Each structure stands twice: as structure tokens, then as C-alpha cells.
Amino acid sequence: MSGSCIGCLNAEALPFDFSMAFQPIVNLTDGAVFAFEALARGPKGEGAGTLFAQLNDDNLYAFDQQCRVKAIELASNLGLMQTAAKLSINFMPRAIYEPRACIQLTLATGKRCEVSSDRLIFEFTESEVADTDKLNAIVTLYRELGFLTAVDDFGAGHSGLSLLANMPPDILKLDMELVRGIDTSDARGIMVKHLVAMAREMKIDLVCEGVETAGELAMLRDLGVELAQGYYLCRPAFEHLPRTDEIRWRP
């Protein structure tokens, strides 16, 4: 192991069990799955809130580490590498003590499960950006290792455009509040239209989250959005990678 920290020594100290559901991020041009996002669930499919209620400073690191392991192991067992899709895993920057030491378990799991680094995306939410120097070190290392990075819930936090200027990710996921009712909101339509153009010029993949109606999906397609995610397309599937025929990618 390269480096060590107290958190790494306690990576398996998690007092509760959990599993994963997978929700596809869909390419609207052909219905292909761009990536499956791994979402933590209780062992019987219970909502993530039942898990988050049990987190504290003592087990936060273990949970972050074991989410990565569970997501990679389960997706691999379900046939991820027999598809062209990537696997997107949420992580908590505050649960990382020393980036190079804390990534070792992830690297070992990927190697064991034959999931290559270029198939992994690591998401962090804009609202979690507190220590920008630490986050920059994490993102820089992840890119060196071949991972992609994504900013989740963009538009819901405080850092906004300054984050894109100082630390542009590979993928930008727009917060669902910018998508909700976009087919009846001129303001939302204008904002998303220009965010699509900006992302394209910056060579960032843009994903619109939280698509729940045919009208929203139709408007996003009209605005040139290529990647989308939401209940209208496909709900999270517990311990299952949704097939193409389970995805509704046209309005």
C-alpha cells in the first residue's frame, strides 16, 4: 500500500449491511447506457436514508470505502464488463484522509473484479466542496489513475461556475431542480440551453438528472441534451443492471 492513515486501517469496520441499486444514465441519441450509477440501499432494498441515519464520524470512512467495493463487485458479477457502460460511484471527499492511500482498496477491488479504471466514474456533489485544495488533489490523482470525475447536483450548491473554472470535471450532472418542469419554464429552458453549449465547448459531458415526464424529456432532446437520467427513463433497479429494453428513452 502506498501511504497509510488511521481510516485505512479501519476500512472494514462497518456496523450494518447494505447493497446497491443501479440506475442508468442514458444516451438519448440511441438509447444506449452511458453508465450505471450505483446507489446505496439497505440489504432488502430499503431506501438510502435508512443507511445515512446510521452514519457518524466513526464509520463514515468505512462506508465510503465499502460502497466502492460493493458497487464494483456487484456490477462485475451482474455483467458490467460485458456491456459498453461505465460504473458511476458516489464518494464523499470529507471521508478521504490521504488520497493516494485511500484509493488502494478501490484499485485492488477493480483489479480483482477485472473492472478497468477507465470504466469507473467518481461523483461528488457540488454542495460538498468545502476544502478545494483537498478536492483538487483527489481529482488530480483520480485522473492520473484513469478514472473519470463527475460533479453531481450542479446548480444546487454554492460554488457554481467557479468550480468549473478552477476544477472542470469530465462530467457535469445538472441538479433536478433545473430539469423539473423545464417544458413549461422559459427560464429553465434558457439556462439549460446555455449550459449545454458551455459544456460542449469545454468538452464536458453533461447529464440532466431527475427526468420524470415525457414533456421534460422531449424538451431536453430539443435543447440538444445527449445524456439523461431519471424515473421516466428507468427507476433504480435493486441488485440488477437494467437492460436496454427496460429503458424508455423516447418521449
Side-chain angles (χ1 to χ4, degrees):
M1 178 178 292
S2 176
S4 61
C5 64
I6 294 174
C8 294
L9 299 176
N10 297 318
E12 298 180 0
L14 198 62
F16 55 87
D17 194 15
F18 69 97
S19 191
M20 289 283 169
F22 298 93
Q23 187 177 30
I25 298 171
V26 183
N27 190 320
L28 300 183
T29 61
D30 58 8
V33 177
F34 171 75
F36 293 104
E37 181 179 0
L39 301 165
R41 294 290 185 265
K44 296 182 179 180
E46 302 92 332
T50 62
L51 303 176
F52 296 152
Q54 302 177 70
L55 293 181
N56 53 52
D57 290 341
D58 293 329
N59 60 30
L60 185 65
Y61 177 88
F63 182 68
D64 185 78
Q65 289 284 304
Q66 291 304 313
C67 276
R68 299 161 182 246
V69 172
K70 180 75 74 174
I72 295 170
E73 287 180 340
L74 186 53
S76 176
N77 290 338
L78 292 170
L80 174 72
M81 297 305 289
Q82 281 71 61
T83 76
K86 302 180 187 299
L87 176 65
S88 191
I89 302 171
N90 295 278
F91 79 96
M92 296 171 281
R94 63 193 177 97
I96 295 176
Y97 291 83
E98 200 289 313
R100 194 168 294 277
C102 295
I103 197 62
Q104 297 305 312
L105 181 59
T106 302
L107 292 172
T109 304
K111 183 176 181 180
R112 173 168 51 83
C113 297
E114 299 183 335
V115 176
S116 56
S117 295
D118 62 349
R119 298 290 289 273
L120 296 177
I121 302 167
F122 285 97
E123 298 186 22
F124 62 92
T125 62
E126 182 191 351
S127 59
E128 291 180 337
V129 180
D131 187 339
T132 55
D133 289 340
K134 177 180 179 181
L135 183 59
N136 190 50
I138 295 170
V139 171
T140 299
L141 174 64
Y142 283 14
R143 284 180 171 165
E144 289 177 1
L145 295 171
F147 303 129
L148 296 177
T149 59
V151 174
D152 195 14
D153 298 337
F154 182 79
H158 64 278
S159 49
L161 296 178
S162 63
L163 175 64
L164 294 188
N166 296 318
M167 199 182 342
D170 300 294
I171 300 163
L172 187 66
K173 301 184 74 176
L174 295 190
D175 184 68
M176 65 178 61
E177 286 302 316
L178 293 175
V179 174
R180 185 69 57 250
I182 192 171
D183 51 322
T184 59
S185 170
D186 290 341
R188 285 177 170 81
I190 291 169
M191 285 189 288
V192 171
K193 175 184 177 181
H194 288 284
L195 284 168
V196 168
M198 180 185 69
R200 186 170 292 133
E201 191 167 352
M202 294 179 69
K203 296 181 173 56
I204 296 172
D205 287 321
L206 183 138
V207 179
C208 283
E209 297 185 285
V211 182
E212 294 190 352
T213 70
E216 291 169 355
L217 180 58
M219 177 58 72
L220 293 175
R221 292 171 68 99
D222 289 345
L223 292 172
V225 172
E226 294 183 358
L227 298 173
Q229 183 178 18
Y231 281 9
Y232 181 82
L233 291 90
C234 186
R235 289 177 174 269
F238 183 62
E239 297 184 343
H240 171 65
L241 298 181
R243 302 182 308 273
T244 302
D245 61 2
E246 298 176 88
I247 298 169
R248 180 169 50 182
W249 58 281
R250 289 190 178 100

